[in-house]
Amino acid sequence: MPAWNKSQPLPLLVNRRLYSGSADRTVKCWLADTGERIQTYKAHKHSVSTLKYHAGILFTGSGDACARAFNSKSGVLQKIFRGHKFIINCIQIHNELLYTASHDGTLRIWDIRGICKRNKRRLKKERSAQGRGSQKGSLSRLFNNKVGCMVQQENGEHEAVELM
């Protein structure tokens, strides 16, 4: 596994998989235990600046002013979100909405219910096939990804919130 470069987004750890964005215009997925690269996500036209995982989908922001949604398992690009004029430097997900912030000074909100719904159907089929076939791992262990953020209340206090 390569060393982390401060100019790249922080690596994202989900279950035992580590996702890293790069100036080479890719995101790579590594097994955290062994350092083995298991997936490369290609579709960016500029360096990858931010990463977020939600419901089996890897969301990326890039210097090409686009956000992308990849099926995290297959690596298939599911959607490109266009509308910013400059690098996307922050992504957050809450209530099936994707929030993207850019150096162009804008915050955009995208409805991702369709993507999440398709992926949930796929996950449901996989779980049912897994339940019939093998007892490899528990579902609670396999699907326990959590995302959190800090929310500023009207009174100025901060509260930690877990996003589903």
Side-chain angles (χ1 to χ4, degrees), residues 2-59:
W4 176 65
N5 177 340
K6 285 185 192 177
S7 67
Q8 298 308 310
L10 287 173
L12 176 64
L13 182 63
V14 179
N15 296 324
R16 293 178 39 240
R17 295 171 186 239
L18 185 71
Y19 297 90
S20 63
S22 176
D24 72 359
R25 300 178 301 204
T26 67
V27 174
K28 292 180 177 70
C29 179
W30 314 84
L31 286 179
D33 301 345
T34 64
E36 175 189 355
R37 186 177 68 204
I38 58 173
Q39 184 83 5
T40 300
Y41 304 83
K42 299 176 182 179
H44 304 88
K45 304 213 183 323
H46 204 279
S47 62
V48 178
S49 50
T50 186
L51 305 168
K52 189 64 73 176
Y53 179 93
H54 176 75
I57 302 167
L58 179 65
F59 292 91

Side-chain angles (χ1 to χ4, degrees), residues 99-159:
Y99 297 83
T100 57
S102 169
H103 278 288
D104 65 14
T106 63
L107 171 72
R108 294 191 176 266
I109 303 170
W110 314 88
D111 185 346
I112 58 171
R113 284 180 294 203
I115 297 169
C116 292
K117 212 176 265 185
R118 278 195 311 267
N119 209 49
K120 283 179 185 171
R121 282 194 301 263
R122 183 188 57 78
L123 287 173
K124 190 175 180 181
K125 285 180 185 176
E126 285 177 9
R127 277 187 243 161
S128 117
Q130 181 183 15
R132 286 191 306 266
S134 75
Q135 296 299 318
K136 206 176 194 182
S138 71
L139 291 178
S140 62
R141 188 179 68 74
L142 292 173
F143 300 99
N144 68 350
N145 182 50
K146 293 186 168 110
V147 177
C149 68
M150 295 298 286
V151 175
Q152 185 171 355
Q153 303 296 323
E154 289 180 20
N155 63 7
E157 291 183 20
H158 288 86
E159 174 187 5

